[in-house]
């Protein structure tokens, strides 16, 4: 059987996927390039050869997560360019816990000047994209992003999304509040959006 050799770009993508998984679990400080290499099935020196440092590997993971969100929003806007449709697309991303966890770890590591600059750039790109796709104003977009951040935190705590823990009253209250505010939610105490 012949083995297909991956291009450097394909290997970089494979390593970025592995980095998302590894950094999602242990964060920037708690993850080594060796952890990512083992997960990807390559050597640690190969990871360093492609990315140069753990910092650059982490940045690639954060960028990978942001690009995935941007693409989900672009795809959704192809059907209907409004905030509700983008919220539905983000709700689907709640199942991809690793992506959201990497973003949270990126926010937490933003005191590092290089990482902070990249994370702010990613967040700004998502903000501008939402405005561009939907025509929403600054305040409406900020509210949308605020709801998205709350969803991200709740999904990370397994309050919402697939595999959610059994709900406590406060969880159901928050989920119902998000639902009433117009954001779509799937989890304890919340009914999935019916689109209307």
């Amino acid at each position: 059987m012949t083995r297909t050799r991956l291009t450097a770009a394909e290997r970089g993508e494979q390593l970025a996927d592995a980095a998302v998984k590894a950094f999602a679990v242990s964060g920037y400080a708690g993850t080594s390039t060796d952890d990512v290499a083992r997960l990807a099935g390559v050597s640690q020196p190969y990871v360093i050869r492609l990315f140069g440092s753990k910092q650059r590997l982490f940045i690639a993971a954060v960028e990978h997560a942001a690009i995935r969100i941007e693409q989900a929003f672009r795809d959704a806007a192809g059907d209907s360019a409004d905030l509700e449709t983008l919220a539905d697309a983000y709700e689907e991303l709640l199942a991809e816990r690793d992506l959201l966890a990497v973003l949270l770890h990126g926010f937490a590591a933003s005191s590092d000047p290089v990482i902070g600059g990249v994370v702010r750039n990613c967040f700004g790109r998502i903000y501008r994209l939402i405005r561009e796709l939907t025509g929403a104003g600054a305040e409406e977009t900020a509210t949308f992003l605020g709801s998205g951040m709350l969803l991200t935190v709740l999904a990370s705590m397994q309050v919402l999304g697939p595999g959610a823990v059994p709900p406590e009253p406060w969880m159901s209250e928050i989920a119902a509040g998000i639902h009433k505010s117009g954001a779509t939610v799937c989890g304890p105490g919340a009914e999935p959006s019916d689109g209307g």
Side-chain angles (χ1 to χ4, degrees):
M1 179 163 106
T2 343
R3 221 168 71 159
T4 306
R5 188 173 170 97
L6 297 177
T7 65
E10 291 167 333
R11 184 64 77 183
E13 185 68 21
Q14 177 192 25
L15 284 170
D17 286 337
V20 165
K21 288 179 179 65
F23 286 119
V25 172
S26 303
Y28 180 58
T31 304
S32 69
T33 54
D34 196 47
D35 295 331
V36 175
R38 272 195 306 275
L39 198 56
V42 299
S43 70
Q44 189 269 352
Y46 185 77
V47 172
I48 295 301
R49 189 170 51 222
L50 277 184
F51 288 95
S53 67
K54 179 173 104 168
Q55 182 188 61
R56 287 182 44 201
L57 181 61
F58 182 70
I59 286 169
V62 170
E63 282 279 0
H64 183 81
I67 288 167
R68 175 74 182 89
I69 293 168
E70 290 171 67
Q71 191 57 53
F73 285 168
R74 282 189 186 92
D75 292 346
D79 294 331
S80 179
D82 55 54
L83 290 175
E84 184 176 344
T85 303
L86 268 57
D88 291 341
Y90 196 76
E91 180 181 336
E92 290 179 23
L93 289 174
L94 293 179
E96 298 182 41
R97 288 190 194 281
D98 292 343
L99 286 178
L100 304 181
V102 161
L103 286 179
L104 290 176
H105 285 298
F107 300 143
S110 287
S111 61
D112 176 295
V114 176
I115 293 172
V118 170
V119 171
R120 286 187 295 276
N121 182 53
C122 289
F123 201 81
R125 280 193 339 244
I126 291 169
Y127 170 81
R128 289 187 303 273
L129 179 65
I130 293 166
R131 292 201 62 191
E132 175 189 316
L133 293 173
T134 66
E139 186 175 335
E140 196 175 15
T141 304
T143 300
F144 179 83
L145 282 169
S147 294
M149 289 302 301
L150 179 57
L151 288 171
T152 300
V153 169
L154 293 173
S156 294
M157 292 189 301
Q158 294 183 294
V159 171
L160 299 175
V165 298
E168 295 179 31
W170 69 267
M171 296 175 187
S172 299
E173 288 175 15
I174 290 175
I178 295 171
H179 185 68
K180 284 180 187 171
S181 74
T184 56
V185 178
C186 221
E191 294 297 318
S193 170
D194 60 6

